[in-house]
Amino acid sequence: MISHIALPVFLAAATALASPSSTDSYAPYYVDCPEDIQLVRQPRSTSLAESEWVHGRQAQMVDSLGRYLENLDLADFNTAEYMRRVRADVDYSVPVIGWANSGGGWRAAMTGVGGLQAIDERTAGAREAKVGGLFQILTYIAGLSGGSWPVSSPVFHDYEPISEMIADWQVDVDRFTDADDDDYFEVIVEKYTAGFNISVSDFLGRAFATQVIPGVNRTWSSIPELPGFKNFSGPFPILVASSINTSSPVEDGLYVPSWDAPWYEWNPFEFGSWAAGFVPTKYVGTVPNENNTAEKCVENLDQASFVLGSVASAWNYWYLEAVSNDTLGTFSKRDGGVAKRDSYIDELVELVDEVFSEYFNYTVSQISNPSIPNAFNPDENLTFADGSEAGQSIPFLPLIQPERKVDFIYVLAKAHGLPFPEVPPVREMLARNYTLKPVLFGCNTNLTTTRDATSPIVAYFANAPYSWYSNYSWSTTNMSSAEANGVLQNSFNLLTQGNGTLDSTWTDCLGCAAIDRSLARVGMQRSQACEQCFQEHCWDGTLTAGVSDDFVLDPSLALDPSLSYAEWSEQHPDMD
Ligand SMILES: *[C@@H]1O[C@H](CO)[C@@H](O)[C@H](O)[C@H]1NC(C)=O
Ligand SMILES: *[C@@H]1O[C@H](CO)[C@@H](O)[C@H](O)[C@H]1NC(C)=O
Ligand SMILES: *[C@@H]1O[C@H](CO)[C@@H](O)[C@H](O)[C@H]1NC(C)=O
Ligand SMILES: *[C@@H]1O[C@H](CO)[C@@H](O)[C@H](O)[C@H]1NC(C)=O
Ligand SMILES: *[C@@H]1O[C@H](CO)[C@@H](O)[C@H](O)[C@H]1NC(C)=O
Ligand SMILES: *[C@@H]1O[C@H](CO)[C@@H](O)[C@H](O)[C@H]1NC(C)=O
Ligand SMILES: *[C@@H]1O[C@H](CO)[C@@H](O)[C@H](O)[C@H]1NC(C)=O
Ligand SMILES: *[C@@H]1O[C@H](CO)[C@@H](O)[C@H](O)[C@H]1NC(C)=O
Ligand SMILES: *[C@@H]1O[C@H](CO)[C@@H](O)[C@H](O)[C@H]1NC(C)=O
Ligand SMILES: *[C@@H]1O[C@H](CO)[C@@H](O)[C@H](O)[C@H]1NC(C)=O
Ligand SMILES: *[C@@H]1O[C@H](CO)[C@@H](O)[C@H](O)[C@H]1NC(C)=O
Ligand SMILES: CC(=O)N[C@H]1CO[C@H](CO)[C@@H](O)[C@@H]1O
């Protein structure tokens, strides 16, 4: 329950803070722009800085790739020969692998980070289970909404072992009720006083960051200075959000994103979109003049907490759900149908609205989505919306930009004419149990939008119960360590198919998929064993009758099917 948001202290803070300019501040501030800076870059390619970083990462990954493949020991495949050819031209040959973490609030965060823990070679049992080491060969990691936590946290933790990072999250602490809410509002007021838009996302972002970003006041543009990022120890993080503007559809007085609205991405070097262009992340919030430069540049608007809030800005939907009794504001990440009313969220909506209206005289529409000065269109601020509201609960877009040349994507959880595998409709996914067990898409290049190898192969892992019912409400804000371990263990079992007990060829098949697109580049053939496992684990492009209209997905534990949800709940009374 939400007990307090202490208003009087907050009011005092609002009047006390006049000119925030310190570097350890949440508030953005102005500096002299570097001479000759060109702010907006046309989106023709990835930035030079990203290309150079990826070059470094690919070189750093070669040994990890060799270790992973040796451990996997794929049947009827000459690993030594493959590695010899890869080493001969690392930039061209090392597979480019991305991890896409879907949205879904706390549930997505915990399931996703459990997946990362499973594929981290430093996790006990991960190498034995044949998935450990995949983290070490990821080039990119992308996320949105709650999926932004597992994406932001590792880099700010200097890519320390994922299990240690999770321990640092202290998941048993509720960052909304156990923390001192005043702190969140005090820093938001600093931003307000500095003349920038503030919204509920600033508030939520502070709470999220307190959990997952060590030190909290960190910026995305400082990532390139971090030792772990500098020595290429982990994947390149990207977060994405959709957007709204004054032409967006309106529901009950609030803008909602349309499915064709522009998407924006944050990465350590740049912020922007593949439609409008990119600006240096360090100077986000600076509006360029006619010469694409400026005298004063905004800094510090790229606070990690604000970035987390900006990609999880679903307040408009929470509010719509609350006022419409669940008839408006349906997320693409929900299972469909009318969601169970969530009294926690209702309460939070009411309290936060109250604070913002009482102390800023802001209306709900003014606070529901965050905006920043727009480098791409000076006439209108750029306003973020949660990507899950715009038909995409999985952040594919940044990973399938042809410029990033991604070969293989892991997805925990359709694109715009970009190279991507064809995926079957939901009815077919359900009929084939792809919502209960992992599946690969696009192994056959004919089953991709481009009909060639420019499309990555995608591994899709639906969050399903293996050893634990991990379908918590997305609005969960904390859990006991026993619950957290249950969820993390469930992700381990999902990734490894119960250490192979449910499917003895799956982990080999993941390895086959990881290197498949690179085989052609080094002039080698897909092995018979990989061909065989693709037959088994890749969607073959055909459609069956699908499921019937009255189909209900009500799975039992894959590793203990006799234990019904009702019985399990009785054994775990604290978890509902
Ligand atoms: C973050 O910055 C704010 C000022 O904006 C400061 O009050 C707070 O103590 C800082 N937090 C940490 C963890 O350094
Ligand atoms: C799989 O292995 C992990 C790590 O060794 C272990 O914790 C887990 O219980 C195992 N799961 C099954 C289903 O055997
Ligand atoms: C953008 O937001 C700022 C801060 O709220 C505001 O002062 C400014 O007028 C807005 N600009 C436009 C073009 O709407
Ligand atoms: C890279 O940096 C991290 C963080 O400082 C450090 O723990 C790790 O040992 C370094 N790795 C290499 C290969 O130097
Ligand atoms: C404004 O929103 C509309 C509707 O979503 C979208 O089609 C359009 O591209 C957006 N314009 C800009 C400049 O973002
Ligand atoms: C842009 O550049 C031109 C040519 O150098 C100069 O005359 C003009 O004043 C510049 N505009 C601004 C806003 O600085
Ligand atoms: C909201 O839905 C609940 C459950 O269906 C119903 O009991 C309640 O009357 C509805 N409230 C409004 C305001 O429509
Ligand atoms: C609050 O804002 C409304 C417009 O939204 C305005 O009419 C009203 O005067 C404002 N009240 C105060 C106390 O500033
Ligand atoms: C899907 O799973 C259900 C329940 O375990 C099973 O009855 C059905 O045969 C499976 N369908 C396919 C296509 O594997
Ligand atoms: C793709 O389709 C073409 C034309 O039908 C066919 O010749 C080719 O063998 C197919 N490739 C694969 C990998 O199935
Ligand atoms: C979790 O899944 C079980 C089994 O399908 C279902 O009965 C239960 O209602 C679900 N819980 C939530 C919170 O969705
Ligand atoms: C897009 C935009 O400008 N959003 C809001 C920024 O904050 C002011 C209030 O100070 C609102 O009026 C704007 O709508």
Side-chain angles (χ1 to χ4, degrees), residues 252-303:
D252 219 17
L254 295 188
Y255 290 116
V256 297
S258 60
W259 287 28
D260 68 345
W263 285 77
Y264 290 88
E265 71 166 62
W266 295 93
N267 74 50
F269 299 117
E270 291 191 324
F271 165 84
S273 81
W274 288 91
F278 291 91
V279 292
T281 303
K282 190 174 166 90
Y283 301 122
V284 165
T286 309
V287 179
N289 62 23
E290 62 194 9
N291 297 329
N292 196 24
T293 179
E295 279 196 11
K296 292 287 179 187
C297 276
V298 173
E299 274 188 17
N300 209 32
L301 190 47
D302 60 329
Q303 281 277 320

Side-chain angles (χ1 to χ4, degrees), residues 414-436:
K414 289 166 217 175
H416 303 230
L418 290 162
F420 200 69
E422 286 171 8
V423 292
V426 174
R427 273 168 181 262
E428 187 68 26
M429 300 275 278
L430 288 166
R432 291 182 183 250
N433 293 334
Y434 292 165
T435 46
L436 299 176

Side-chain angles (χ1 to χ4, degrees), residues 434-458:
Y434 292 165
T435 46
L436 299 176
K437 60 180 189 197
V439 58
L440 299 169
F441 296 114
C443 304
N444 180 341
T445 53
N446 280 352
L447 293 174
T448 67
T449 54
T450 47
R451 310 274 183 266
D452 63 27
T454 56
S455 161
I457 294 177
V458 169

Side-chain angles (χ1 to χ4, degrees), residues 8-30:
V9 178
F10 165 63
L11 185 61
T15 48
L17 292 155
S19 54
S21 60
S22 115
T23 47
D24 188 26
S25 150
Y26 176 64
Y29 46 84
Y30 293 90

Side-chain angles (χ1 to χ4, degrees), residues 7 42 59 100 121 129 131 154 161 164 214 226-227 235 257 277 327 455-456 518 554:
L7 307 176
Q42 292 309 307
E121 68 181 2
V131 291
E164 288 171 26
L226 300 178
T327 56
S455 161
S518 73
D554 188 17

